[in-house]
Amino acid sequence: MHEALDGIPLIDHHCHGVMVAPLERAAFEDLITESDWAAPEGTSHFDTQVGFAIRRYCAPVLGLPAFASPDDYLERRRELGAEASERLLRAAGISEYLIETGHRGDEILDPAGMAAASAASTHEVVRLERLAEELLEEGCEPRAFRTAFARRLDERLERAVGVKSIAAYRIGLDFDAARPADAEVDAAVEAWAGRLGTGAARLEDEVIIRHLLWTAVDRERAIQFHVGYGDADVDLHRCSPLLLTGFLRATRDSGARILLLHCYPFQREAGYLAQVFPHVYFDVGLAINYTGARSVEVIAETLELAPFHKILFSSDAFGVAELYHLGALLFRRGLGHALDAFAARDGWPLAEQRRVAELVAWRNARRVYRLDAARTDEA
Ligand SMILES: [Zn+2]
């Protein structure tokens, strides 16, 4: 199955854009970790699973031997310029990218730029909290907020294939599942606007975020939630997907699809939710890259409880092309290993393994995001 997986298309249902500016060593190391501190003198963020995976698998794509030193690797990368990113992206074998543009959007390639760099198709996913912040930054009147937000969301969803929420970062996933009353929302926006200085608006209000979520639910679209592992800005103990149980119950028959992103180390909890709720899907993106040689085991755990039509692939790559490349490579390897193991143990026929692989690699994403009907940025 292992080899057969190379020929199967992949849809990366959650990632961001690549940075085009040349990167010094410190900036590159900053992009291959979720930590926000520089490695102490004499140590390196390359001494991690992802660092070893970059030297093992990305170095040969740039024409270096496997396990080239970090210095040699980065020098070669600089030499090649934009071609380094193009080589890594094109060799990743990802056929479609769903790109979330709400995080440091001005520093990364947009969906059209990503389509050109990767020679693949791209779609946009809109970050709900950023949309609300933009409205406030533009001076939207608090009492006009609900109408303005609905209109802006509808405009963006003419093109975008789904939305994402970072409630996990801003309020934790243990928020009240109920739809807030209009008057409550208006008062919360009023208070937020009153606190607003001159800089960027940062939305951290539970009532407003619940309003954004329910507005998205009403659109019956795909709604991504950051779940689990992320940078130090997140309170991981408030990021278990089980904390969303009430919200999942409340939205079960809404027509919205809920996609739990990353999930690590709660992938087993996510698998449970994907089994019991008809509208819940999940992936282990991000964790695949950062667990490197151990990602085989993490991917195998996703195939325990969850129906195979509820699991998706994502890289959650941001900034450097290495993370898309490795996300795809390690995912293919992990899925191949898991299916091989099931075949060795229980004799799963090759055609059935292939069918399961195709569901997870791309068919589930096409169905959940209704990509057949979506507008696409083509390479
Ligand atoms: Zn992400």
Side-chain angles (χ1 to χ4, degrees):
M1 195 53 217
H2 225 116
E3 285 88 63
L5 263 166
D6 286 342
I8 292 178
L10 271 186
I11 298 180
D12 189 344
H13 90 109
H14 171 62
C15 62
H16 307 263
V18 161
M19 278 184 187
V20 275
L23 296 167
E24 290 308 313
R25 175 146 181 177
F28 185 87
E29 289 210 13
D30 188 50
L31 288 165
I32 60 164
T33 172
E34 289 294 304
S35 59
D36 56 2
W37 40 271
E41 191 63 36
T43 72
S44 162
H45 287 313
F46 270 97
D47 277 341
T48 54
Q49 285 287 354
V50 68
F52 269 62
I54 288 170
R55 293 170 57 209
R56 165 64 183 86
Y57 293 111
C58 299
V61 179
L62 303 192
L64 295 172
F67 295 107
S69 73
D71 282 334
D72 288 349
Y73 183 81
L74 291 173
E75 181 170 336
R76 177 73 179 141
R77 199 181 192 277
R78 267 190 302 274
E79 238 167 62
L80 287 170
E83 192 195 326
S85 297
E86 282 176 18
R87 279 200 200 181
L88 288 162
L89 287 173
R90 287 167 193 217
I94 294 172
S95 46
E96 275 173 84
Y97 294 89
L98 273 56
I99 300 173
E100 197 243 300
T101 48
H103 179 55
R104 297 163 72 181
D106 46 346
E107 297 170 61
I108 56 174
L109 288 180
D110 65 6
M114 279 294 287
S118 64
S121 337
T122 57
H123 303 275
E124 187 180 14
V125 171
V126 177
R127 185 182 284 203
L128 292 173
E129 290 81 2
R130 187 68 209 123
L131 222 55
E133 288 165 353
E134 277 167 15
L135 284 175
L136 268 274
E137 286 164 11
E138 289 163 18
C140 174
E141 280 294 316
R143 56 199 143 69
F145 176 82
R146 283 183 294 109
T147 313
F149 180 77
R151 188 179 306 136
R152 182 68 62 90
L153 182 60
D154 288 333
E155 271 165 30
R156 296 293 294 273
L157 283 174
E158 278 173 27
R159 194 166 188 100
V161 295
V163 301
K164 178 187 174 189
S165 169
I166 51 161
Y169 273 94
R170 300 296 175 80
I171 56 172
L173 295 179
D174 47 351
F175 58 84
D176 179 356
R179 184 193 291 266
D182 289 350
E184 242 184 302
V185 178
D186 292 348
V189 176
E190 185 87 53
W192 180 28
R195 286 192 302 270
L196 218 59
T198 44
R202 184 177 159 95
L203 175 57
E204 293 178 305
D205 183 277
E206 183 184 324
V207 170
I208 303 173
I209 292 176
R210 283 163 54 210
H211 172 72
L212 308 187
L213 288 169
W214 279 100
T215 307
V217 167
D218 291 340
R219 270 70 189 162
E220 303 187 20
R221 301 294 287 257
I223 305 176
Q224 303 176 339
F225 276 91
H226 174 97
V227 172
Y229 176 50
D231 63 33
D233 207 17
V234 93
D235 291 340
L236 191 55
H237 64 284
R238 295 176 69 200
C239 282
S240 164
L242 297 179
L243 296 170
L244 285 174
T245 304
F247 184 77
L248 298 177
R249 231 173 244 140
T251 54
R252 181 190 159 118
D253 300 315
S254 64
R257 284 83 67 203
I258 308 291
L259 295 111
L260 310 174
L261 303 177
H262 326 320
C263 299
Y264 184 86
F266 307 111
Q267 62 269 21
R268 285 179 152 146
E269 286 86 338
Y272 159 77
L273 294 168
Q275 184 183 78
V276 300
F277 289 107
H279 64 320
V280 173
Y281 302 80
F282 80 115
D283 71 58
V284 282
L286 192 65
I288 294 178
N289 277 335
Y290 286 111
T291 58
R294 283 282 294 169
S295 59
V296 170
E297 287 75 16
V298 174
I299 292 165
E301 286 182 3
T302 66
L303 296 159
E304 289 175 354
L305 280 190
F308 307 135
H309 50 89
K310 304 302 270 314
I311 310 165
L312 280 75
F313 160 68
S314 94
S315 66
D316 191 31
F318 178 93
V320 292
E322 282 80 355
L323 299 178
Y324 306 79
H325 188 83
L326 290 175
L329 185 149
L330 297 174
F331 172 77
R332 283 197 169 96
R333 177 179 75 172
L335 186 59
H337 268 291
L339 293 169
D340 280 343
F342 304 155
R345 199 169 289 161
D346 292 327
W348 288 26
L350 193 61
E352 290 297 298
Q353 292 181 61
R354 190 180 170 90
R355 198 168 62 75
V356 170
E358 287 193 356
L359 286 173
V360 181
W362 64 275
R363 287 192 193 276
N364 292 340
R366 282 214 86 77
R367 192 180 71 249
V368 177
Y369 289 91
R370 316 219 161 123
L371 294 183
D372 288 331
R375 284 156 64 180
T376 307
D377 278 311
E378 302 286 353

